[in-house]
Amino acid sequence: MRRDPGSAGPEPCRPALVVLDFDGTLTDADAHAPAFLAASRRALAFRMAWDEDRVKGEWARTWAEVTELPPEAAWDVDGVGTCPANSDPYVTANGVVRRILAAQAGLAGPALTAAVLDVHRAAYEGVPPAFRWGARELLEGLSGGGMHVSVVTNSRTGTVERLLDSLGLPRRGDVVVRGDAAKFSVGSDGVRDSRLAAVPEWVEWPELARPVGLRRGRYFAVLRDLWAGTGTGPETPLVVGDSFELDLAMPAALGAHLHLVLRASTL
């Protein structure tokens, strides 16, 4: 934003609460991709009782279909577009698994979503990611800086806690983990709160060529618990993530400060 010379700039963000995404934000998702994708193929083969040649063939064909989608194409969860179809290696892999399970196992709806999540978790927990360079120093500085620090992630709480434990942070207990945030779940999900209701259900950006769902009730419920536990509110946090739609779009609508972490494959 331009401003006249000599005019005051915006006040710097001095958050009482920092909310960090985990995968792709504190970890290196692009470096993790080759091992994770291989593990995903193995987990899919085990589930489908396929041999190596069968799973490689189906995966290669479907991978080409998903990765050739245009940038505005969405990753669908239960029939709702929730973020770009190739926003990160995990989303791309889940899109491939979803298409294969739908076509080859006849799964649909919540059963399909659950099966895709099972394959994802088997792969992720079998070959966990490495942290980004500087992640330990970042967490150490934040946790010692007099602010509340929380990691909010779609991954399982226990898995992320164990990975954070491996860093040997001196104030590890001050970094709170909230897993299974389901940032990909678009809709109120039964959450009743006037602040969520005030968020537009959908917003359209001409540059994206498709609407973006802002109300993500399960993610909101996790954030609401953090606000209550830290005596803060929706406008207080600095929310940090590598996927705008998943991590930042709803907090932006609620008035939070934002930081988008760029990766090599950021769209």
Side-chain angles (χ1 to χ4, degrees), residues 32-51:
H32 186 216
F36 174 78
L37 295 175
S40 295
R41 290 193 297 270
R42 292 193 297 269
L44 178 63
F46 179 80
R47 183 181 186 93
M48 299 295 289
W50 285 350
D51 61 26

Side-chain angles (χ1 to χ4, degrees), residues 7-266:
S7 64
E11 285 295 314
C13 173
R14 302 185 187 280
L17 170 64
V18 176
V19 177
L20 299 160
D21 175 52
F22 188 72
D23 296 303
T25 299
L26 291 175
T27 70
D28 192 334
D30 296 311
H32 186 216
F36 174 78
L37 295 175
S40 295
R41 290 193 297 270
R42 292 193 297 269
L44 178 63
F46 179 80
R47 183 181 186 93
M48 299 295 289
W50 285 350
D51 61 26
E52 186 174 354
D53 287 342
R54 176 74 184 279
V55 74
K56 281 186 174 180
E58 293 288 348
W59 188 278
R61 178 183 59 79
T62 312
W63 178 267
E65 293 176 356
V66 174
T67 55
E68 289 172 4
L69 291 169
E72 63 269 18
W75 175 43
D76 285 344
V77 178
D78 296 336
V80 180
T82 188
C83 71
N86 290 292
S87 59
D88 68 26
Y90 307 112
V91 170
T92 302
N94 286 350
V96 171
V97 171
R98 178 174 292 273
R99 287 186 176 214
I100 292 174
L101 289 177
Q104 302 296 331
L107 296 177
L112 176 58
T113 298
V116 172
L117 188 57
D118 285 345
V119 171
H120 173 89
R121 284 176 167 169
Y124 184 92
E125 295 178 10
V127 286
F131 285 94
R132 280 178 177 261
W133 182 87
R136 185 187 188 281
E137 292 74 14
L138 171 68
L139 289 168
E140 186 173 350
L142 290 174
S143 60
M147 62 192 75
H148 301 285
V149 182
S150 181
V151 174
V152 176
T153 173
N154 292 330
S155 296
R156 285 175 168 167
T157 301
T159 302
V160 173
E161 286 181 333
R162 288 190 294 273
L163 288 168
L164 289 174
D165 290 345
S166 72
L167 292 176
L169 296 170
R171 300 175 65 95
R172 166 66 185 86
D174 292 340
V175 180
V176 176
V177 178
R178 293 288 183 267
D180 296 309
K183 300 175 186 179
F184 50 77
S185 182
V186 177
S188 296
D189 283 314
V191 175
R192 298 179 181 275
D193 192 294
S194 59
R195 295 168 294 188
L196 180 62
V199 170
E201 188 172 4
W202 298 92
V203 64
E204 293 191 9
W205 287 311
E207 297 85 356
L208 189 57
R210 64 174 173 83
V212 173
L214 294 183
R215 292 184 195 166
R216 304 188 182 219
R218 291 172 63 184
Y219 183 22
F220 178 89
V222 172
L223 295 176
R224 182 176 60 184
D225 288 347
L226 290 175
W227 304 330
T230 57
T232 60
E235 303 85 4
T236 304
L238 169 64
V239 183
V240 183
D242 67 307
S243 172
F244 183 79
E245 281 188 58
L246 292 179
D247 303 318
L248 305 179
M250 184 182 69
L254 290 164
H257 301 278
L258 312 175
H259 180 73
L260 176 65
V261 174
L262 300 181
R263 296 179 291 99
S265 60
T266 298

